[in-house]
Amino acid sequence: MTKAPDVIAARVRADELVAFFRDTPIEFFGIEVRLLAKSDNRRLAVTVMKRLAISDEAQMGELVDYARQGWGLAATAMRELIAEHAERGKPLPSPLLVLSVDLAARRIPAGIRGQSKADLFLRDVAVSIMVEKLIEEFGLKATARGGNTATGLGIRIS
């Protein structure tokens, strides 16, 4: 006979993990982020896109195309690059120049409304880590059939 997991202790531990990932900055791609902070998710995505664009003009061209098609994160990243070039007095690379003309002429469609996958990426990483830790620490099963069995995913993480 297997020992039943201590669900109350698992829930307390889940709350501790949520607090840790909400409040503790972690370095991710050289950027300090809190895994459960939506604003940090967006900042990470925009920063990674900007780094990619700066490192390769072909990649910059692709990101500009995404921005021109209405992908809000790409548009934000490319707008920031345009502003950074202007602040430094540097000439715009041709993909950014084309985008800046389109932005000035208001030819860029409005971004898609609602939550972006980038808003949830780090949250999903944190949830995966928390579930794995709860499964390991409390001997929970990753999934279960029926409603009476404690599982890693059955512990409230929000």
Side-chain angles (χ1 to χ4, degrees):
M1 183 169 161
T2 59
K3 182 181 172 199
D6 184 350
V7 176
I8 294 172
R11 287 187 177 160
V12 168
R13 179 66 173 133
D15 288 343
E16 291 169 353
L17 290 169
V18 167
F20 173 81
F21 285 118
R22 182 190 59 230
D23 301 334
T24 307
I26 296 172
E27 191 168 311
F28 210 81
F29 293 114
I31 303 163
E32 278 199 356
V33 293
R34 290 161 297 140
L35 297 183
L36 294 179
K38 184 176 178 178
S39 61
D40 285 1
N41 278 262
R42 294 187 67 76
R43 185 171 51 84
L44 175 68
V46 166
T47 301
V48 169
M49 283 186 215
K50 287 169 43 179
R51 287 179 183 175
L52 183 62
I54 290 168
S55 71
D56 180 11
E57 195 165 321
Q59 294 292 328
M60 181 184 289
E62 281 190 44
L63 288 166
V64 164
D65 285 343
Y66 296 148
R68 294 173 78 199
Q69 293 168 26
W71 186 25
L73 278 173
T76 299
M78 297 305 99
R79 281 185 178 110
E80 286 185 16
L81 279 181
I82 290 169
E84 289 169 12
H85 276 75
E87 287 170 1
R88 293 185 182 113
K90 295 172 78 177
L92 291 174
S94 58
L96 290 181
L97 183 59
V98 169
L99 179 63
S100 67
V101 170
D102 286 344
L103 288 168
R106 298 182 187 256
R107 290 188 283 231
I108 304 296
I112 298 168
R113 301 283 182 239
Q115 211 164 38
S116 159
K117 287 185 180 186
D119 294 338
L120 307 176
F121 171 71
L122 293 176
R123 184 207 63 184
D124 291 348
V125 169
V127 168
S128 298
I129 293 168
M130 288 186 278
V131 168
E132 182 179 359
K133 286 190 169 293
L134 293 171
I135 288 169
E136 288 175 1
E137 291 177 22
F138 295 94
L140 302 173
K141 295 181 181 178
T143 60
R145 295 179 191 240
N148 296 331
T149 307
T151 68
L153 295 176
I155 302 300
R156 186 168 173 253
I157 296 182
S158 59

